[in-house]
């Protein structure tokens, strides 16, 4: 795509983001679409030095090599609250601002965490299949499930999404505790100094911490063991946080009660062992995927660019 106004700052879009953001980037920012260039490498070699802003998503990311190829880059506006696919260290080392889309998705991701917890505990997926497959012939035949109300809810990562998950516990008369990098005395929930202690205490453990190398396989075989044969694991964060091989083994051996997973390792697609288990409820990484929230995320991508171009500061910087 050719730019019409050559005096405007050059915005480079790395991948499609969504209809609203894509339209805004095209019409308001005349963004160049890298994936549509016949030869992206050649385009970068010819024009990389003119790019001041990048628009991307957590799915597409922006790695250190690309940042190095854009010597005039000053801001990256990314769709998604996660930013593990963006080389933030390389960006910050050069004073490049990185913006993500926090806050606007908290409620929908928290809602889905609860939906998965309720579905896994009450065996909604299995019950739905039972009815659909024509097995509902007598009353009271479907196996008993697990109570949620009044139980113990453990949250790994009490950030914005974790706090929204915890708040919902009040409506179900649940006691809530959490583990994270530091206690949050501004909240009414109990802090557990170790994840093992939290898992031992919890009936339900919801993973809501960031992904990336620092949290890889934090939910290990021993943490799952501590959660126990009645315990239920929910993950709406990143598949990488859970040792998936251990999770599958524990489920197969009946050493974990069940799991509700919106994310898995090596997305897209889930391994056959998880798909085959009636103790597991699966969704295809759709925590933020409501019309309302996705629109708000797309708007924020544009608002961050607008704010940067107007004031030199993005609205929601990653620190
Ligand atoms: C998206 C997300 O649903 O914001 C994030 O970091 O993971 C979600 O909002 C996900 O990126 C879909 O692929």
């Amino acid at each position: 795509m050719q730019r019409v106004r050559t005096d405007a700052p050059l915005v480079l879009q790395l991948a499609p983001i969504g209809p609203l953001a894509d339209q805004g980037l095209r019409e308001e920012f005349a963004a160049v679409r890298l994936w549509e260039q016949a030869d992206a490498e050649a385009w970068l070699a010819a024009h990389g030095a003119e790019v001041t802003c990048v628009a991307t998503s957590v799915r597409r990311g922006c790695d250190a090599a690309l940042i190095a190829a854009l010597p005039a880059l000053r801001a990256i506006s990314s769709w998604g609250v996660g930013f593990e696919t963006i080389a933030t260290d390389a960006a910050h080392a050069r004073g490049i601002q990185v913006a993500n889309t926090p806050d606007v998705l908290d409620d929908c991701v928290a809602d889905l965490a609860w939906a998965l917890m309720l579905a896994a505990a009450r065996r909604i997926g299995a019950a739905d299949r039972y009815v659909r497959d024509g097995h509902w012939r007598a009353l009271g035949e479907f196996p008993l499930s697990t109570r949620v109300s009044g139980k113990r809810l453990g949250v790994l990562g009490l950030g914005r999404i974790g706090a929204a998950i915890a708040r919902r516990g009040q409506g179900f008369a649940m006691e809530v505790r959490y583990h994270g990098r530091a206690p949050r005395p501004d909240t009414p929930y109990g802090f557990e100094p170790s994840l093992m202690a939290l898992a031992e205490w919890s009936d339900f453990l919801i993973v809501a911490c960031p992904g990336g190398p620092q949290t890889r396989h934090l939910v290990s075989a021993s943490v799952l063991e501590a959660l126990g044969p009645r315990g239920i694991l929910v993950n709406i964060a990143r598949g990488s946080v859970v040792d998936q091989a251990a999770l599958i083994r524990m489920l197969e051996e009946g050493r974990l009660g069940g799991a509700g997973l919106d994310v898995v390792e090596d997305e897209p697609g889930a391994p056959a062992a998880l798909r085959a288990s009636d103790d597991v409820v699966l969704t295809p990484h759709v925590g933020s995927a409501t019309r309302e929230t996705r629109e708000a995320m797309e708007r924020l991508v544009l608002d961050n660019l607008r704010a940067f171009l107007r004031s030199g500061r993005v609205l929601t910087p990653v620190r």
Side-chain angles (χ1 to χ4, degrees):
M1 180 196 285
Q2 288 304 310
R3 290 202 305 152
V4 184
R5 285 182 54 199
T6 47
D7 58 325
L10 179 47
V11 176
L12 179 64
Q13 185 180 355
L14 303 186
I17 293 173
L20 196 131
D22 294 349
Q23 186 185 356
L25 284 162
R26 190 173 50 238
E27 292 175 1
E28 188 179 335
F29 298 96
V32 171
R33 302 167 147 229
L34 188 60
W35 74 99
E36 284 182 355
Q37 305 306 313
D39 184 340
E41 291 300 319
W43 189 91
L44 286 169
H47 303 285
E50 299 159 39
V51 173
T52 47
C53 298
V54 155
T56 186
S57 68
V58 60
R59 293 177 188 152
R60 168 61 173 81
C62 184
D63 63 18
L66 183 52
I67 290 174
L70 306 172
L73 184 63
R74 296 190 45 222
I76 300 172
S77 179
S78 179
W79 175 97
V81 68
F83 49 85
E84 71 279 7
T85 52
I86 297 172
T88 46
D89 287 348
H92 289 158
R94 267 183 41 201
I96 298 165
Q97 293 179 54
V98 179
N100 61 345
T101 58
D103 303 315
V104 293
L105 43 58
D106 297 349
D107 282 326
C108 280
V109 178
D111 288 350
L112 189 80
W114 271 80
L116 287 170
M117 180 166 73
L118 289 162
R122 300 305 305 270
R123 308 184 72 81
I124 304 286
D128 181 79
R129 286 189 290 279
Y130 178 83
V131 177
R132 281 172 203 278
D133 294 348
H135 299 303
W136 188 20
R137 295 195 197 93
L139 281 179
E141 268 185 350
F142 188 75
L144 297 180
S145 62
T146 301
R147 179 185 171 99
V148 175
S149 287
K151 292 280 191 70
R152 295 170 161 188
L153 172 60
V155 180
L156 171 57
L158 200 69
R160 285 175 280 228
I161 293 173
I165 292 169
R167 274 197 301 278
R168 284 157 174 72
Q170 206 185 0
F172 287 75
M174 290 176 95
E175 191 185 341
V176 180
R177 293 191 189 174
Y178 68 99
H179 172 72
R181 275 173 305 182
R184 297 250 332 246
D186 55 320
T187 69
Y189 317 113
F191 176 71
E192 287 290 348
S194 79
L195 178 54
M196 277 297 283
L198 182 69
E200 260 161 34
W201 173 84
S202 300
D203 297 307
F204 301 96
L205 180 64
I206 302 189
V207 180
C209 63
Q214 284 169 341
T215 56
R216 191 180 139 74
H217 288 190
L218 212 56
V219 179
S220 60
S222 13
V223 169
L224 295 170
E225 191 90 56
L227 192 55
R230 290 269 173 96
I232 288 176
L233 177 80
V234 172
N235 190 0
I236 46 77
R238 290 292 183 260
S240 58
V241 184
V242 176
D243 180 344
Q244 189 160 289
L247 172 68
I248 291 171
R249 206 169 52 241
M250 304 281 290
L251 285 164
E252 281 174 350
E253 293 169 6
R255 288 151 71 201
L256 185 71
L261 307 172
D262 185 46
V263 289
V264 292
E265 287 188 297
D266 304 320
E267 294 174 11
L274 291 178
R275 286 186 279 119
S277 170
D278 259 353
D279 298 325
V280 177
V281 179
L282 296 163
T283 48
H285 199 153
V286 289
S288 67
T290 62
R291 284 184 296 277
E292 297 86 344
T293 286
R294 285 291 171 84
E295 194 180 305
M297 291 165 72
E298 290 184 45
R299 278 192 202 289
L300 192 45
V301 170
L302 299 174
D303 286 345
N304 270 314
L305 280 177
R306 283 182 195 121
F308 178 77
L309 293 176
R310 196 177 52 238
S311 70
R313 292 263 149 241
V314 297
L315 299 174
T316 52
V318 165
R319 300 201 193 275

